[in-house]
Amino acid sequence: MDTGVQQLLVKAREEGIDTAFDRAIKMSQCGFGSTGVCCRLCLEGPCRIAPNGKGPQLGVCGANVDTIVSRNFLNAVIQGVSSHAEHAREIAHALIEIVEDKAPYVIQDQAKLNSIARGLGTPCDGKDVNELVKEVAHKALEDFQKQSGTLNWLKLHAHEKSYKNWQQLGLLPVNAHLEIAKGIARMVMGGDADPANLLLGTITMGLVDGYAGLHMSTDLQDILFGSPRTVKTQYRLGVIKKEKVNISVNGHIPLLAEKVVEWANKLNEEAKKVGAEGINVIGVCCSGNELLMRKGISVATNYASQELPIVTGALEAMVVDIQCIMPGLQQVASCYHTELITTLPYAKISGATHVEFTTETADEAAKEIVLRAIDNFEKRDPNKIDIPEEVTEAYAGFSVEQIIEALSSVNAGDPLKPLVDAIAGGEIVGAVALVGCTNPRKKQDKYNVELAMELIKNNVLVVATGCSAHSLAKFGLMSPEGVKYCGDGLRGVLTAIGQANGLPALPPALHMGSCVDNSRIADLLTALANYLNVSVKDLPVAGSCPETHHPKALAIGTFFLANGVDVHVGVNPQVTGSEFVVNVLTSSKQDFPVTTDGLFGGKLIYEEDSVKAAETILDRIKKKRRGLGLR
Ligand code: BF8
Ligand code: SF4
């Protein structure tokens, strides 16, 4: 239990303030929506298909339950894909403004720039940084414009065997915007009415998500802000400091968050003029992850409890950009001195202050935001201040580059060998990526942590991103002491690698970043598959999102399914109304004619109980081990 969250939930209730957890209790769930059988795509409806055959079995237009459920699933995935694709496109566009001297940022990682440029087939020799950045950024923007071929970023990162499979099935995306538009066009009333075809279209959207969303965002952000390296940091609500001006950043695209940190440093002395000891920037959700990975900024909490930093009564400003920002933040902020500041013209919240952020005016906007926070310090109500004390130490910053470097301390000439040997020898049974969200309908962190504990006990290495990573960090699984929860084999390997790198041990859960950084996990899998000369689908690995809430998580899951990685969700994915869709996504290949397992090698696992989910995941991992000839 996150005691800080509990403490502030009690405080909020005593003060008559509703949070997402209260709203979740009051909101009943509709049985039709929960199973995906409700269609409101046109004004002949809404139509809903009655369960158990008792009542209407077709919509007014004649759409059956399989078509309706597949269309709704595609709809959800498109929402996730468009979020990630917009994220990537904004960074690409910012890079062009930067090298044209229109935006005040400095390119930080030339080595990554060179490696991405080479991968894209762009010669580096004789070019200055600006020229090369511009070429890479234009290659990125091509992935939103080209009318034939496939995504540059897919060719850059996809495993050869997966690529061939998608090519044969005719699933390769052409450009991100085209596929998003086509996906919506096939989903509308009177469009695609073949559920199998709709689900294959969803796989194409997953590829757009993975390559033109996740991978492109990570690559370009690393070029701009630097590739992460190991950092030590603190977690939990205790990172809010009573004596300081506290600013929390919440959202996803680090262009704003990085500037807020820069201006907080520059204006630190100004804070002292109002009686504060300085300025403290803290992270929430994925903006928190981005700053944590590159700057070691501490993290207060994750998605479901994002309103609670305000309830401490000591938060001067909450600055947000886009995605996973609860509109309810403003109701809570209005009960305190906290100023909620929106920044993007297409993501405003009524009642909040709006300070427009563009890359060209990044300095002016960030300066104004920090000055507003400083002004708010004196508006605190001392009677309302209550900050939970607890903090937990954690390590983060495990980019693929950093993991390889850590492994190089064990075997400089062949860094992947120690990891592969440990997998082959059974000390490490497999690896699971614990990714995604927290959800106010679930007990926050419980399912993420329970699943991780169960896996590491069984010698499964955990890597984590997004809000799941926050859960694991808060409960000590991102610190070397966490190895006490591991099985003997995993503990031995983590201790040996950690000690070769000057730590008592590597943490049992490696923090690999924000949700777009699931690309880093995909890169690690591709590297392992190449090393072993197998497909990604053959590896003894899986992905899991025990506390899913956002359609982005479904898009990321679809990307991993397309790569042949099993994906577990712990929250109802709202497809259970169609036996056909359930079979395609969750059946094993021998049990049903067309399945994602048969076509790609990975299937969806829906299980709310984390212990049972771990058992199923372990069974699948062991099956994949046997496929590789391992015990
Ligand atoms: O992109 S993990 S709750 S904050 S959707 Fe949202 Fe889920 Fe958190 Fe980050 Ni990802
Ligand atoms: Fe009803 Fe068909 Fe319209 Fe959906 S598209 S609301 S099923 S008539």
Side-chain angles (χ1 to χ4, degrees), residues 39-49 58-63 68 71 188-190:
C39 180
R40 39 185 294 277
L41 286 179
C42 86
L43 304 185
E44 294 166 53
C47 301
R48 46 193 209 179
I49 305 303
L58 297 175
V60 175
C61 66
I68 290 174
R71 279 195 311 216
V188 296
M189 190 276 149

Side-chain angles (χ1 to χ4, degrees), residues 227-231 293 396-412 414-420 428 431 461-465 493-494 497-498 500-501 506-513 517 519-525 527-528:
S227 301
R229 307 188 48 79
T230 318
V231 287
M293 289 288 283
F398 290 97
S399 57
V400 176
E401 293 86 341
Q402 179 64 88
I403 291 173
I404 301 279
E405 197 180 310
L407 291 170
S408 299
S409 304
V410 182
N411 186 336
D414 195 358
L416 284 177
K417 190 167 188 298
L419 186 59
V420 169
I428 296 181
L461 176 68
V462 169
V463 296
T465 56
V493 177
L494 292 171
I497 301 172
N501 287 278
L506 279 190
L510 301 179
H511 195 325
M512 293 190 76
D517 292 336
S519 60
R520 301 190 198 278
I521 296 171
D523 276 341
L524 194 57
L525 297 184
L528 282 172

Side-chain angles (χ1 to χ4, degrees), residues 258-284:
E258 286 267 345
K259 275 289 169 192
V260 170
V261 174
E262 187 184 322
W263 278 93
N265 289 333
K266 284 183 182 161
L267 295 171
N268 205 45
E269 293 305 308
E270 292 297 310
K272 294 184 181 164
K273 292 182 189 160
V274 297
E277 285 181 7
I279 302 175
N280 180 33
V281 179
I282 54 154
V284 173

Side-chain angles (χ1 to χ4, degrees), residues 252 285-286 303 324 436-437 466-467 515 549-550 552:
H252 285 80
C285 293
C286 280
Y303 170 79
C324 299
C437 318
C467 290
C515 281
H549 95 93
H550 203 284
K552 286 180 289 172

Side-chain angles (χ1 to χ4, degrees), residues 448-522:
N448 289 334
V449 175
E450 255 178 22
L451 184 59
M453 290 287 215
E454 208 53 34
L455 292 170
I456 62 176
K457 186 173 86 186
N458 285 289
N459 295 311
V460 174
L461 176 68
V462 169
V463 296
T465 56
C467 290
S468 286
H470 297 321
S471 297
L472 307 191
K474 284 196 270 182
F475 289 85
L477 297 180
M478 292 192 167
S479 111
E481 287 91 77
V483 292
K484 64 179 178 244
Y485 303 115
C486 296
D488 293 343
L490 180 62
R491 189 185 317 114
V493 177
L494 292 171
T495 305
I497 301 172
Q499 290 184 354
N501 287 278
L503 288 173
L506 279 190
L510 301 179
H511 195 325
M512 293 190 76
S514 66
C515 281
V516 294
D517 292 336
N518 284 311
S519 60
R520 301 190 198 278
I521 296 171

Side-chain angles (χ1 to χ4, degrees), residues 113-419:
L113 171 64
N114 291 345
S115 115
I116 298 294
R118 273 196 300 275
L120 289 165
T122 307
C124 306
D125 299 340
K127 288 182 190 151
D128 70 14
V129 171
N130 282 359
E131 216 177 327
L132 204 51
V133 167
K134 201 167 190 172
E135 284 186 35
V136 166
H138 278 295
K139 283 269 185 200
L141 292 179
E142 270 178 24
D143 281 354
F144 296 87
Q145 293 154 351
K146 55 162 69 175
Q147 296 300 313
S148 59
T150 190
L151 304 171
N152 297 328
W153 250 260
L154 187 147
K155 288 189 274 188
L156 174 62
H157 284 284
H159 190 271
E160 198 190 326
K161 291 186 168 128
S162 305
Y163 182 99
K164 282 196 181 133
N165 190 28
W166 303 325
Q167 192 173 36
Q168 271 169 9
L169 292 166
L171 299 178
L172 289 174
V174 178
N175 89 50
H177 283 170
L178 175 155
E179 298 301 346
I180 290 168
K182 204 195 278 175
I184 294 172
R186 76 195 295 173
M187 186 199 84
V188 296
M189 190 276 149
D192 198 349
D194 177 339
N197 205 39
L198 280 158
L199 291 173
L200 286 171
T202 312
I203 295 287
T204 297
M205 296 313 304
L207 299 180
V208 176
D209 192 67
Y211 298 109
L214 314 181
H215 275 289
M216 191 188 288
S217 299
T218 301
D219 288 342
L220 301 184
Q221 286 172 186
D222 280 357
I223 290 171
L224 177 51
F225 297 119
S227 301
R229 307 188 48 79
T230 318
V231 287
K232 193 176 181 187
T233 190
Q234 291 190 320
Y235 265 93
R236 293 192 178 223
L237 287 151
V239 302
I240 297 172
K241 299 295 169 208
K242 190 174 178 185
E243 311 73 30
K244 296 202 171 180
V245 170
N246 292 297
I247 304 175
S248 86
V249 289
N250 184 1
H252 285 80
I253 309 173
L255 290 165
L256 164 73
E258 286 267 345
K259 275 289 169 192
V260 170
V261 174
E262 187 184 322
W263 278 93
N265 289 333
K266 284 183 182 161
L267 295 171
N268 205 45
E269 293 305 308
E270 292 297 310
K272 294 184 181 164
K273 292 182 189 160
V274 297
E277 285 181 7
I279 302 175
N280 180 33
V281 179
I282 54 154
V284 173
C285 293
C286 280
S287 283
N289 277 323
E290 296 284 358
L291 291 181
L292 161 66
M293 289 288 283
R294 298 193 180 87
K295 296 207 146 43
I297 295 284
S298 48
V299 176
T301 195
N302 41 9
Y303 170 79
S305 48
Q306 63 182 265
E307 294 155 300
L308 297 184
I310 301 172
V311 178
T312 62
L315 189 71
E316 277 55 58
M318 179 171 267
V319 191
V320 302
D321 55 18
I322 195 163
Q323 297 173 32
C324 299
I325 313 291
M326 288 186 187
L329 285 171
Q330 180 52 27
Q331 276 96 289
V332 180
S334 66
C335 303
Y336 296 88
H337 75 298
T338 308
E339 193 168 6
L340 177 67
I341 303 176
T342 57
T343 53
L344 297 180
Y346 52 89
K348 296 185 178 181
I349 296 175
S350 67
T353 302
H354 187 73
V355 176
E356 189 115 327
F357 174 87
T358 64
T359 37
E360 292 190 11
T361 60
D363 280 325
E364 291 82 349
K367 184 178 176 188
E368 180 181 342
I369 288 165
V370 175
L371 287 174
R372 278 179 173 274
I374 293 172
D375 275 353
N376 291 337
F377 184 76
E378 291 178 304
K379 297 179 192 157
R380 281 185 182 182
D381 177 349
N383 298 320
K384 284 191 170 175
I385 298 177
D386 184 7
I387 308 174
E389 278 174 17
E390 233 177 330
V391 293
T392 313
E393 290 204 328
Y395 284 84
F398 290 97
S399 57
V400 176
E401 293 86 341
Q402 179 64 88
I403 291 173
I404 301 279
E405 197 180 310
L407 291 170
S408 299
S409 304
V410 182
N411 186 336
D414 195 358
L416 284 177
K417 190 167 188 298
L419 186 59

